[in-house]
């Protein structure tokens, strides 16, 4: 090796001497200097290396999970899902981070119970399962209560304090503000130099926080961001911030009477002042397969999905277990693993714990900047006509007629639409003599698969028994952003 280095040095020295002895003519000096200067300046479209996530220089790895709901069943389904999620988090982080996972963030609804008495055993069960996989003194678990963990009224702080006592001091080694923990049930933790704030709501019908919590949040964010303007500040609260990620407008759709039951508007004005904030919310159990799970407005927001079971918007979809849950809701368990590199860039990997895989391509966000340019990658404008393509409907459609005795039943089988992300759902108008008899809403299987490429090629909608006559269906596809395809019509006859 030393001989090779010596030869290289000799070659470099020889090249330098030759260069010095070959001075260009005087009339070419200016153009030569200009050329040299332009070569040293990178092209305008060259990526800034400080904004590209470097998986070889990870400084902080954490998981953000929510809605574990221990005790939701008489069996041990939830316990197994929770332990399975923790084990997969541990294994995944160790693949490209020598230190492995640095922290677990549990964003509410640790267990199913409500009130005071029944929660004690569930809190202890949560602690027991966590410690079968992690040592809390080595891998901190930072939690914030959800509505199932405590009564959402003025006693919320007292219930949270009791739960904290049950966990013990080893679960609060990273807290640097004992005053706010005692006064409001909020937390301020620091792990690997990153600040984590948790917020405890006190009401649920219109999710709200005490004035003391809001004042503390504003003052604390101001101090943190002034001292370190180039790092994300992590905010954990069980309800999502209203009108950010997928699901955060539930109950506010036109024609509904619910208010801020599933998300909160109480923190928006404060958080919007600090573009370094990245919030993690739960409560809704919505599938994180959807691109709207990450949203950048004046700050960054993420939904955590659910470790326990899945839910979705009330889209009046066919073949559902309830208005907002699928029949296969228990076949899912999801969460996030986030990794930050030495430049402050973050990679977010969506985990499918049930199927032991990851979901689609990881999201990457660059380190915070004063001008907010780091907030442009995942904005709401992704759904605009300029940036989003409407689905393209398939021409493949047929009526499948089956006979049982004198009854004839009809099902419409159609091909999946093509889209730059995926077709989220379909509407099918069922007509006779140009009059709409019923509109069917059909949810696609986007939430079931690792990648849109794995979605079903065909879908079926059962219309049911029909009398003899001529009928028509008109099918339209919609993507996650609400963009509609052109419609396709299909006529058929029941003899």
């Amino acid at each position: 090796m030393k001989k090779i280095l010596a030869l290289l040095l000799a070659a470099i020295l020889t090249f330098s001497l030759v260069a010095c002895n070959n001075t260009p003519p005087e009339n070419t000096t200016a153009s030569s200097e200009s050329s040299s200067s332009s070569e040293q300046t990178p092209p305008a479209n060259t990526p800034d290396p400080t904004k590209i996530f470097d998986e070889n220089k990870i400084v902080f790895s954490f998981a953000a999970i929510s809605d574990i709901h221990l005790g939701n069943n008489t069996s041990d389904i939830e316990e197994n899902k929770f332990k399975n999620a923790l084990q997969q988090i541990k294994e995944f982080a160790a693949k490209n981070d020598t230190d492995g996972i640095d922290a677990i963030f549990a964003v509410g609804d640790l267990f199913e119970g409500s009130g005071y008495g029944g929660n004690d055993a569930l809190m202890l069960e949560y602690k027991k399962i966590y410690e079968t996989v992690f040592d809390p003194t080595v891998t901190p678990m930072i939690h914030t209560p959800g509505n199932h963990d405590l009564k959402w009224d003025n006693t919320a702080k007292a219930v949270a304090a009791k739960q904290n006592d049950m966990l013990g001091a080893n679960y609060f080694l990273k807290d640097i503000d004992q005053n706010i923990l005692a006064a409001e049930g909020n937390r301020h933790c620091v792990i690997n130099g990153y600040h984590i704030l948790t917020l405890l709501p006190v009401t649920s019908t219109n999710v709200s926080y005490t004035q003391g919590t809001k004042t503390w949040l504003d003052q604390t964010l101001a101090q943190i961001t002034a001292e370190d303007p180039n790092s994300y500040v992590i905010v954990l609260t069980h309800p999502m911030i209203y009108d950010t990620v997928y699901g955060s407008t539930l109950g506010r759709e036109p024609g509904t009477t619910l208010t801020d039951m599933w998300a909160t508007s109480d923190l928006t004005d404060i958080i919007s002042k600090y573009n370094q904030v990245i919030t993690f919310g739960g409560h809704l159990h919505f599938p994180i397969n959807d691109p709207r799970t990450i949203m950048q407005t004046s700050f960054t927001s993420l939904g955590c999905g659910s470790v326990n079971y899945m839910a979705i918007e009330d889209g009046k979809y066919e073949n559902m277990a309830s208005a907002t849950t699928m029949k296969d809701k228990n076949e899912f368990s999801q969460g996030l693993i986030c990794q930050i590199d030495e430049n402050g860039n973050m990679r977010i990997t969506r985990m499918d714990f049930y199927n032991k895989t990851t979901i689609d391509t990881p999201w990457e966000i660059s380190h915070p900047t004063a001008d907010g340019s780091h907030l442009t990658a995942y904005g709401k404008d992704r759904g605009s006509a300029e940036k989003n393509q409407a689905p393209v409907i398939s021409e493949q459609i047929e009526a499948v007629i089956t006979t049982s005795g004198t009854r004839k039943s009809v099902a419409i089988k159609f091909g999946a639409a093509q889209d730059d992300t995926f077709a989220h759902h379909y509407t099918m108008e069922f007509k006779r003599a140009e009059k709409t008899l019923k509109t069917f809403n059909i949810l696609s299987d986007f939430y079931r698969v690792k990648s849109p490429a794995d979605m079903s090629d065909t879908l079926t909608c059962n219309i049911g028994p029909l009398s003899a006559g001529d009928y028509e269906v008109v099918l339209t596809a919609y993507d996650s952003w609400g963009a509609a395809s052109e419609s396709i019509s299909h006529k058929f006859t029941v003899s």
Side-chain angles (χ1 to χ4, degrees):
M1 178 60 73
K2 291 181 179 179
K3 290 182 178 180
I4 294 172
L5 290 173
L7 290 171
L8 286 172
L9 289 171
I12 292 169
L13 180 60
T14 302
F15 178 79
S16 300
L17 290 172
V18 170
C20 291
N21 290 329
N22 286 274
T23 305
E26 187 174 358
N27 62 349
T28 64
T29 301
S31 61
S32 175
E33 289 177 352
S34 175
S35 173
S36 174
S37 175
S38 64
E39 288 174 2
Q40 293 174 4
T41 304
N45 60 353
T46 299
D48 182 349
T50 67
K51 294 185 178 182
I52 300 173
F53 179 81
D54 188 346
E55 67 174 15
N56 296 313
K57 296 179 180 179
I58 296 171
V59 298
F60 187 27
S61 295
F62 63 88
I65 58 176
S66 183
D67 296 276
I68 299 157
H69 288 275
L70 294 181
N72 188 35
N73 269 295
T74 54
S75 65
D76 57 359
I77 293 175
E78 288 77 26
E79 287 78 0
N80 289 337
K81 280 187 172 182
F82 182 35
K83 185 175 181 179
N84 178 49
L86 295 176
Q87 289 173 333
Q88 288 188 52
I89 289 167
K90 186 175 186 178
E91 293 168 4
F92 182 89
K95 291 179 181 178
N96 58 5
D97 185 351
T98 54
D99 296 330
I101 201 75
D102 296 305
I104 306 291
F105 301 153
V107 194
D109 282 1
L110 311 183
F111 43 79
E112 181 70 15
S114 60
Y116 299 96
N119 289 353
D120 293 3
L122 293 173
M123 196 71 197
L124 292 175
E125 179 70 9
Y126 176 90
K127 178 180 179 182
K128 176 184 175 182
I129 295 172
Y130 187 79
E131 292 179 6
T132 62
V133 182
F134 293 111
D135 178 350
T137 65
V138 177
T139 308
M141 189 279 293
I142 310 300
H143 83 285
T144 184
N147 55 307
H148 281 263
D149 301 322
L150 41 79
K151 284 183 177 292
W152 282 39
D153 54 27
N154 292 331
T155 66
K157 183 182 69 173
V159 178
K162 181 180 180 181
Q163 294 167 2
N164 296 346
D165 289 340
M166 295 178 72
L167 284 174
N170 284 344
Y171 284 78
F172 297 86
L173 299 176
K174 298 298 182 179
D175 287 71
I176 65 169
D177 190 342
Q178 296 298 326
N179 292 331
I180 197 63
L181 181 60
E184 299 287 351
N186 306 319
R187 302 178 65 180
H188 182 181
C189 308
V190 177
I191 303 174
N192 291 12
Y194 281 86
H195 293 262
I196 302 99
L197 309 181
T198 76
L199 304 173
L200 179 67
V202 291
T203 58
S204 60
T205 303
N206 282 298
V207 181
S208 63
Y209 302 76
T210 67
Q211 187 56 50
T213 288
K214 290 188 283 188
T215 299
W216 169 80
L217 175 65
D218 197 1
Q219 293 176 347
T220 304
L221 287 175
Q223 180 180 349
I224 293 170
T225 55
E227 293 175 355
D228 183 2
N230 301 312
S231 298
Y232 284 106
V233 181
I234 298 161
V235 175
L236 312 177
T237 189
H238 185 59
M240 295 175 172
I241 308 302
Y242 170 69
D243 197 21
T244 54
V245 299
Y246 184 34
S248 62
T249 58
L250 186 68
R252 290 282 201 93
E253 298 90 344
T256 58
T257 56
L258 293 175
T259 50
D260 278 0
M261 181 176 179
W262 301 106
T264 181
S265 304
D266 208 24
L267 305 174
T268 305
D269 290 345
I270 296 172
I271 296 177
S272 295
K273 292 162 35 178
Y274 307 99
N275 69 28
Q276 293 168 242
V277 168
I278 179 167
T279 68
F280 292 85
H283 196 31
L284 283 161
H285 302 228
F286 273 40
I288 60 178
N289 313 61
D290 194 284
R292 294 169 292 174
T293 301
I294 182 172
M295 192 65 68
Q296 293 182 303
T297 51
S298 52
F299 53 93
T300 303
S301 302
L302 282 154
C304 296
S306 168
V307 171
N308 191 322
Y309 65 90
M310 187 177 286
I312 205 161
E313 69 273 358
D314 183 2
K316 306 297 185 294
Y317 300 124
E318 299 296 310
N319 202 31
M320 297 280 285
S322 71
T324 57
T325 57
M326 311 81 153
K327 288 183 177 179
D328 53 1
K329 64 178 182 178
N330 290 318
E331 297 179 22
F332 303 96
S333 182
Q334 300 182 331
L336 306 173
I337 292 182
C338 305
Q339 297 170 309
I340 304 178
D341 70 14
E342 66 177 11
N343 288 321
N345 307 308
M346 184 184 298
R347 180 173 64 187
I348 301 142
T349 302
R350 291 169 284 173
M351 301 293 294
D352 179 347
F353 301 124
Y354 189 87
N355 294 302
K356 299 183 178 180
T357 187
T358 57
I359 298 170
D360 213 357
T361 305
W363 293 318
E364 293 185 5
I365 53 178
S366 61
H367 61 81
T369 56
D371 61 3
S373 58
H374 63 288
L375 297 170
T376 59
Y378 298 98
K380 289 185 178 181
D381 61 345
R382 287 175 289 162
S384 66
E386 293 76 21
K387 294 189 176 182
N388 176 54
Q389 298 176 10
V392 177
I393 200 77
S394 171
E395 296 292 329
Q396 177 188 350
I397 185 169
E398 63 175 318
V400 180
I401 303 173
T402 57
T403 303
S404 178
T406 60
R407 294 166 59 87
K408 291 193 175 183
S409 292
V410 176
I412 304 299
K413 184 177 180 181
F414 58 94
Q418 299 299 309
D419 189 65
D420 50 348
T421 50
F422 52 77
H424 181 276
H425 66 277
Y426 302 80
T427 62
M428 188 177 72
E429 292 181 78
F430 172 52
K431 297 183 174 184
R432 184 174 188 178
E434 298 185 357
K435 179 182 179 181
T436 299
L437 304 179
K438 183 177 179 180
T439 298
F440 295 86
N441 297 313
I442 305 123
L443 184 65
S444 77
D445 62 343
F446 77 93
Y447 64 92
R448 293 192 57 85
V449 298
K450 170 184 170 63
S451 168
D454 302 322
M455 292 172 65
S456 299
D457 293 329
T458 58
L459 297 91
T460 301
C461 178
N462 292 312
I463 294 179
L466 293 179
S467 58
D470 296 325
Y471 298 92
E472 180 184 15
V473 291
V474 179
L475 185 70
T476 310
Y478 296 84
D479 67 11
S480 291
W481 305 101
S485 70
E486 293 185 2
S487 300
I488 184 174
S489 173
H490 178 70
K491 295 180 179 180
F492 62 95
T493 299
V494 176
S495 60

